[in-house]
Structures are given as structure tokens and as C-alpha cells.
Amino acid sequence: MQVTTDANAPWLIVGLGNPGPEYAGNRHNVGFMVADLLAERVGGRFKRAGKAQAQVVEGRIGPPGPANRRVILAKPMSFMNLSGGPVNALREFFKVPLAHVVAVHDELDIDFGALRLKLGGGDNGHNGLKSMTKAMGAEYHRVRFGIGRPPGRMQVADFVLKDFSSAERKELDYFVDRAADAVECLVIEGLERAQGTYNS
């Protein structure tokens, strides 16, 4: 489904996660990890955004010229299940069309490290997406970062709030880097090109 918007409108790229050092390495925080890397790439540091319950970095990605895009990188500082309020406040403040919002989040139904990009759809039980959709509708982009299913009888809530395993951590930087590349491709070249290159 193609949504037409002003090509010059800014993009809001939201890494989903939970605030606080105790959550930093959790599977549920992979969205924050990707947002941190993108902030490094644009040469910015996250700062509290006015009254919004979020940290943001403003910058530009893409080559000079028409493909250059203004982006606002954001990490909601509410907990995951309350992400929608801060994200929608930022969207309204920066005048970002819904189709220029990108949520980067962990995805249980995809193998560790694999990516899927899409526009719209359900939340698949993900509380961050559920909150965003409730606040502003579902027609935003998602970059879904696979974390796989919990082993044995481990509860999903316990699994997502655990750190990546030592074996996963050996590859994590590579996969986070690839997810950041996918976000940049989506914003600069569009969903179809990004899906063709990064969906795995």
C-alpha cells in the first residue's frame, strides 16, 4: 500500500525500548540500540525533547541533493507500553506525516538478526506498537528486528526482558548495523527498495 505524503516532510525514526541502565542490553531494547547507532552516524547526541517524554536527535541522512532527508531520531522515555503518547507528541510537534514515522522494534516471530520492513499492520502482541497504534493509527512503517522465540517454557515477558545471549552478542553489532542501514534505505529510497534489499 503506497501512501502519498510531502516528500520534503521530516521523518520520525523511533527506537522502542525501556529507559534505564538495567534494561539497556535487553532484547526488548534493540530499537534503542539501532537509534543510538543512527544518532552516531548523524553526529548527534540524544537530549530531552522539551515537554515530550522522549529523547531526540535531529539530523540529516542521505547524499547531498534531493535524496537528503531531515530526520528526528527518538527514544521514548516512558516505558514500552506507554510509547504512543510521547511518539505522537513528537509527531505533532515536528509536523511529521504518519507515513513518515518508522518504529524500530524487536520481533518474536522472526529468527534472531533477520529483518522485515513493512507499512501498517497489526501489533503482534508488541506493547510498544499497540500503544503507538492506539495513539495515532497503524499506517506507520516498522523495521522488525528478529529476536526469535523463547526457549522451552520460558515466558515471553521474561525472554524479552533478558539480555541477548553471549552467542547472540557476538553477532549483535553486525545485525544492529544492518538494521540501521535498512532504516536509512527506507527513508532515502523507499519501502520497496528497502524490502528487496533487507527483508530476510
Side-chain angles (χ1 to χ4, degrees), residues 17-35:
N18 286 310
E22 67 271 37
Y23 298 105
N26 289 180
R27 293 182 175 93
H28 224 17
N29 270 45
V30 75
F32 274 18
M33 297 173 197
V34 176

Side-chain angles (χ1 to χ4, degrees), residues 97-178:
L98 185 55
H100 277 204
V101 176
V102 183
V104 185
H105 64 93
D106 57 302
E107 179 61 66
L108 287 158
D109 287 337
I110 303 173
D111 290 340
F112 170 65
L115 296 174
R116 298 270 199 293
L117 286 79
K118 69 174 190 170
L119 174 64
D123 56 56
N124 203 20
H126 193 287
N127 287 330
L129 297 182
K130 195 175 292 183
S131 179
M132 284 179 61
T133 296
K134 186 177 178 186
M136 58 191 193
E139 291 304 308
Y140 54 89
H141 288 88
R142 298 101 191 274
V143 175
R144 304 155 74 205
F145 187 111
I147 60 169
R149 302 293 304 185
R153 297 185 176 184
M154 187 187 287
Q155 295 295 309
V156 164
D158 295 333
F159 179 69
V160 299
L161 293 175
K162 278 196 176 355
D163 287 1
F164 286 99
S165 70
S166 55
E168 288 169 337
R169 281 199 297 272
K170 288 175 183 165
E171 298 183 287
L172 185 59
D173 285 352
Y174 168 77
F175 288 131
V176 167
D177 195 65
R178 190 166 182 270

